[in-house]
């Protein structure tokens, strides 16, 4: 089972989403003029899923998506109802902005987007959403900036934030000052790492690759950042192993010898799926007593799965019934993604 499949089937039902921004743009679907909306939300995970995500990022290069966007579509009439599509998932807010902008552009060189509120329609009906024109060259600079961020390490171990004009990135939890990337001017500022008296690097974004080999400030920052990320990765592996053992023992105590049926079976199936995603089918890396206990549960899960039992709530977070539309318009796909 792929990590994203585990996220969508197992983890997502327990995720709380905090809406941040609604990006809208006009498009043509099935020959009709429509408004496409991407409601961007931050995913808030349980503590155990945070540790699992960081573990996956450490050993596989990527954890669960920090940001998701729900796609909607409606007629150009502001009072028309939205038809909701499935969600897209991104590593960070800047990744979401870039991905959605690419969809808005399509094959065009420029496109107009609206930065709408995520509040209810009733509370903002009289307010005009701010507009912005995005260009293909601008989004190309966005990609170059994210490539710089990627050179520091997995996004899960970086503090990465920004908008269409500016990005800020630094290793999580360290004392390094952030790198700032001015997307409008195409400039990057890499701070010094050798004390207050050191000089940083300021130069064109597209010259940074050359700067990494020629400029001592850039080389010093990259080396320090990668060192901090490598330590954070090791900590993430150890923290998940400890959390997995604690979770197994706590769940075993809660069971108190009762049979794995009904909701207890659902819960153990979800836990085993998480453990196998992080530790492999044999659950390597945890203590023998925790491993034996969890493998016994895994055997029960396999046996029950063969008979089609378990996961009474498997539909949670899945496709919902399609809302009725007064005009009967309901596209099969929204911006290339299947509609509900």
């Amino acid at each position: 089972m792929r990590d994203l499949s585990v996220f969508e089937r197992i983890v997502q039902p327990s995720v709380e989403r905090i809406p941040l921004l609604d990006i809208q743009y006009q498009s043509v679907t099935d020959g009709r003029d429509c408004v496409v909306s991407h409601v961007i939300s931050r995913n808030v995970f349980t503590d155990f899923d945070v540790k699992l995500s960081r573990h996956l990022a450490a050993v596989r290069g990527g954890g669960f998506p920090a940001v998701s966007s729900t796609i909607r579509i409606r007629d150009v009439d502001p009072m028309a109802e939205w038809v909701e599509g499935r969600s897209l998932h991104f590593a960070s807010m800047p990744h979401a902005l870039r991905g959605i902008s690419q969809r808005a552009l399509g094959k065009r060189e420029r496109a107009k987007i609206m930065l709408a509120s995520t509040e209810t329609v009733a509370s903002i009906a009289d307010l005009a959403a701010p507009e912005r024109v995005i260009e293909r060259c601008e989004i190309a600079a966005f990609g170059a900036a994210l490539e710089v961020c990627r050179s520091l390490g997995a996004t899960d171990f970086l503090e990465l934030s920004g908008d269409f004009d500016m990005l800020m990135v630094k290793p999580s939890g360290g004392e390094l000052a952030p790198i700032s990337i001015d997307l409008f001017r195409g400039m990057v500022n890499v701070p010094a790492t050798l004390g207050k008296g050191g000089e940083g690097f300021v130069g064109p974004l597209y010259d940074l690759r050359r700067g990494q080999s020629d400029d001592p400030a850039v080389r010093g920052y990259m080396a320090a950042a990668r060192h901090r990320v490598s330590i954070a990765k090791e900590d993430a592996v150890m923290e998940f192993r400890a959390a997995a053992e604690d979770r197994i023992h706590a769940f075993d105590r809660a069971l108190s010898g009762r049979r794995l049926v009904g909701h207890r079976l659902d819960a153990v199936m979800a836990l085993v799926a998480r453990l196998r995603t992080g530790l492999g089918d044999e659950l390597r890396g945890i203590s023998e007593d925790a491993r034996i206990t969890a493998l016994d549960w895994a055997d029960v899960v396999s046996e029950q799965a063969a008979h089609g039992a378990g996961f009474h709530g498997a539909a949670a977070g899945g496709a919902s019934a399609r809302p009725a539309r007064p005009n009967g318009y309901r596209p099969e796909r929204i911006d290339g993604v299947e509609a509900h």
Side-chain angles (χ1 to χ4, degrees), residues 3-4 6-7 11 45 49 52-53 56 62-66 90-91 156 277:
D3 296 346
L4 186 56
V6 171
F7 168 76
V11 177
F45 298 93
D49 286 335
L52 171 57
S53 179
L56 293 173
F64 298 139
F90 302 94
D156 302 67
T277 299

Side-chain angles (χ1 to χ4, degrees), residues 17-23 38-43 66-68 92-93 116-119:
R17 288 186 173 179
I18 302 176
L20 302 176
L21 181 64
D22 182 5
I23 297 180
H38 289 258
V39 180
I40 306 175
S41 301
R42 177 165 294 281
N43 295 323
V67 172
S68 296
S92 72
M93 183 66 163
S117 170
T118 56
E119 300 174 10

Side-chain angles (χ1 to χ4, degrees), residues 265-287:
L265 177 59
D266 288 346
V268 80
M269 289 179 74
L271 177 57
V272 167
R274 284 172 164 89
L275 293 172
R276 281 181 158 171
T277 299
L279 303 173
D281 289 344
E282 298 302 318
L283 306 183
R284 304 291 184 184
I286 56 177
S287 64

Side-chain angles (χ1 to χ4, degrees), residues 29-63:
T29 301
D30 298 336
R32 301 171 65 114
D33 291 331
C34 300
V35 176
V36 177
S37 162
H38 289 258
V39 180
I40 306 175
S41 301
R42 177 165 294 281
N43 295 323
V44 181
F45 298 93
T46 65
D47 182 67
F48 186 71
D49 286 335
V50 168
K51 290 182 171 63
L52 171 57
S53 179
R54 288 175 61 83
H55 172 84
L56 293 173
V59 300
R60 300 186 190 177

Side-chain angles (χ1 to χ4, degrees), residues 225-247:
R226 289 165 182 158
H227 175 68
R228 283 166 172 75
V229 168
S230 67
I231 294 175
K233 287 183 175 182
E234 183 177 350
D235 290 343
V237 171
M238 299 306 295
E239 288 170 4
F240 176 69
R241 288 176 176 177
E245 291 191 17
D246 290 343
R247 191 67 166 256

Side-chain angles (χ1 to χ4, degrees), residues 6 55 70 77 79 84 90 169 206 267 296 340:
V6 171
H55 172 84
T70 300
D77 179 1
M79 300 310 295
E84 187 171 303
F90 302 94
V169 61
Y206 288 98
D296 286 343
H340 286 332

